[in-house]
Amino acid sequence: MTRSISIFGATGSIGDSTLDLIRRNRGEWRVVALSAHCSAEKLAKLAREFGAEIAVVSDESCLTELRGALSGTNIQAAGGAQALCDAAAIEADLTVAAIVGCAGLAPTMAAIARGGVVALANKESLVSAGEVMTNAVAKHGATLLPMDSEHNAIFQCLEGGKLDDVRWITLTASGGPFRTKTMAELDAATPKQAVAHPNWDMGAKISVDSATMMNKGLEYIEAFHLFPVGLERLRIIVHPQSIIHSMVEYRDGSTLAQLGPSDMRVPIASTLAYPARMNTPCEPLDLAAIGELSFFAPDEERFPATRLAREAANAGGAAPAILNASNEVAVAAFLDSQITFTQISAIVARTLEQLTLAAPQSLNDVLAVDAQARVRAREMLVSA
Ligand code: NDP
Ligand code: MG
């Protein structure tokens, strides 16, 4: 029995890892849609290799290049934001949401609206939309399978358990490349240093988020929506080896943890095969070679992002979307050498302070909050 799959963000790091697993099991999958933003040549190559039915570039100005690269095939080429949502609305057994940023929200909502099963890597979309997304999931009978390694770990630890019996959900954080750096060193940190993650090989944006700890802040909000135990039962611990991907402690004192190599193909495989299991090419864990697992409390003086995310989650309403949008703007500016590393969190904090917007009730409301927060955050870049 083959299953059909669509991958949004197919040319990125999660896209690569997902397609690597599909490639090893080609006979089991039929590829419906693949998307990129503007990497037309890479997208066309993948679409040809996997015999995709449709390839979409969300940046319409790249459609001509995509059409050229797909000429002589019967793969449909499409471009633009609406084309992306139309492709996500096409029936597929599994839809992988692996676009980076709130840009992935609309296609993910389109897949949810057809009651699809969505393997969610794109945390920014859930952070921004919150209840707008979880309500749509409930309304349309859709399913979210968490692909983010921590949430996939929690999902596995909760299997067979009841949320009512959960005492704590503990998200582990590697601490990123700057875990032991001083404030002065953080001030001088360069984009190149920030994207060099010690354990994981990821896209540039999430690598910077890992360095500021905003990745864990976003994941805290993501966990709040995926596993509704209440914010007071969610916590974060720094675990530099990234072997334990997260834990669930039950009220009887039992803690279940999911362990694995720092390779996204493990959580991705868990969602691709769910509820069964599949092989991955990842090296088995060698705990004796690893030797020690260590844990530290997060330092919110040097890394205020987790505090900002906790405050935004507590405030609710538009705050998480403002947090996310201002962070996207600030991270892009840092990668472009317009601001320093420590200014990223400062800009997020100031945008949150200055902007009060009504709680979004619909996808369009979320996109409007996102747009307004971007405008405000960009104004701050000028004064930063
Ligand atoms: P990458 O930057 O490697 O890839 C991003 C993908 O999204 C590419 O296909 C890119 O296309 C596409 N894209 C970029 N901008 C837009 C846009 N404006 N509209 C539509 N598509 C766009 O990111 P990652 O794979 O690292 O991350 C993807 C998501 O998964 C993020 O939300 C991240 O937080 C999450 N995640 C990633 C992990 C990882 O290990 N990488 C781990 C856990 C979660 P193009 O190539 O044309 O630019
Ligand atoms: Mg993660």
Side-chain angles (χ1 to χ4, degrees):
M1 261 272 285
T2 61
R3 290 170 70 212
S4 55
I5 188 167
S6 288
I7 304 171
F8 293 86
T11 50
S13 159
I14 292 287
D16 277 344
S17 296
T18 306
L19 286 166
D20 177 74
L21 293 172
I22 303 284
R23 188 178 284 118
R24 292 166 196 272
N25 301 275
R26 272 300 294 277
E28 294 173 25
W29 295 95
R30 179 170 67 83
V31 175
V32 179
L34 296 178
S35 93
H37 191 47
C38 196
S39 304
E41 204 175 308
K42 181 170 180 187
L43 179 64
K45 196 161 171 265
L46 292 172
R48 283 172 183 267
E49 178 189 350
F50 289 92
E53 291 166 22
I54 174 166
V56 190
V57 277
S58 43
D59 182 342
E60 208 166 350
S61 69
C62 307
L63 179 56
T64 310
E65 190 189 348
L66 179 65
R67 282 215 178 101
L70 286 174
S71 67
T73 71
N74 49 21
I75 301 164
Q76 194 188 329
Q82 186 55 48
L84 193 63
C85 292
D86 293 346
I90 301 172
E91 196 55 43
D93 295 323
L94 185 66
T95 303
V96 178
I99 287 174
V100 60
C102 193
L105 175 58
T108 300
M109 291 294 281
I112 290 170
R114 65 166 158 78
V117 179
V118 176
L120 186 75
N122 177 214
K123 63 194 89 188
E124 296 94 340
S125 63
L126 179 54
V127 168
S128 301
E131 287 83 12
V132 169
M133 184 182 286
T134 52
N135 290 344
V137 167
K139 178 176 167 198
H140 298 290
T143 305
L144 292 183
L145 294 177
M147 215 178 228
D148 209 346
S149 58
E150 296 75 5
H151 306 75
N152 187 267
I154 295 162
F155 185 74
Q156 295 194 46
C157 294
L158 283 172
E159 245 167 322
K162 285 205 209 98
L163 285 183
D164 281 349
D165 288 332
V166 171
R167 186 184 282 164
W168 293 108
I169 289 178
T170 305
L171 292 154
T172 54
S174 69
F178 302 151
R179 183 175 60 85
T180 58
K181 300 287 184 221
T182 63
M183 219 38 214
E185 287 170 324
L186 292 180
D187 269 330
T190 66
K192 192 164 171 245
Q193 292 166 332
V195 296
H197 196 281
N199 305 342
W200 300 92
D201 182 11
M202 311 180 287
K205 193 265 178 180
I206 184 176
S207 298
V208 175
D209 284 345
S210 299
T212 59
M213 291 287 281
M214 183 55 90
N215 184 48
K216 215 47 55 179
L218 298 174
E219 291 183 354
Y220 176 85
I221 302 174
E222 182 185 12
F224 167 66
H225 293 297
L226 289 172
F227 314 112
V229 296
L231 286 172
E232 65 289 351
R233 286 197 273 171
L234 288 179
R235 58 186 185 180
I236 295 168
I237 195 160
V238 177
H239 164 47
Q241 295 86 0
S242 298
I243 296 298
I244 296 182
H245 298 301
S246 277
M247 304 174 243
V248 174
E249 181 177 328
Y250 288 94
R251 63 191 171 111
D252 58 5
S254 294
T255 296
L256 303 193
Q258 187 263 353
L259 287 72
S262 312
D263 186 322
M264 281 306 293
R265 289 176 298 182
V266 176
I268 292 171
S270 146
T271 63
L272 291 184
Y274 183 80
R277 296 278 177 177
M278 64 185 276
N279 291 339
T280 67
C282 308
E283 285 296 310
L285 264 191
D286 183 348
L287 287 174
I290 294 161
E292 274 179 21
L293 300 181
S294 46
F295 304 93
F296 305 91
D299 176 352
E300 293 189 336
E301 289 291 316
R302 283 180 305 139
F303 302 102
T306 50
R307 176 178 55 75
L308 295 172
R310 198 168 55 248
E311 288 168 3
N314 271 304
I322 297 171
L323 171 98
N324 178 69
S326 54
N327 182 60
E328 286 193 34
V329 168
V331 169
F334 169 70
L335 284 170
D336 198 30
S337 302
Q338 291 176 46
I339 59 169
T340 64
F341 181 76
T342 47
Q343 279 173 329
I344 300 172
S345 293
I347 284 171
V348 174
R350 254 183 289 145
T351 310
L352 277 166
E353 265 162 37
Q354 292 186 14
L355 211 52
T356 312
L357 298 169
Q361 307 295 331
S362 65
L363 170 59
N364 282 340
D365 289 355
V366 178
L367 297 176
V369 170
D370 178 77
Q372 288 181 70
R374 280 168 200 270
V375 169
R376 184 57 66 92
R378 283 198 192 103
E379 287 166 7
M380 289 188 192
L381 296 180
V382 181
S383 55

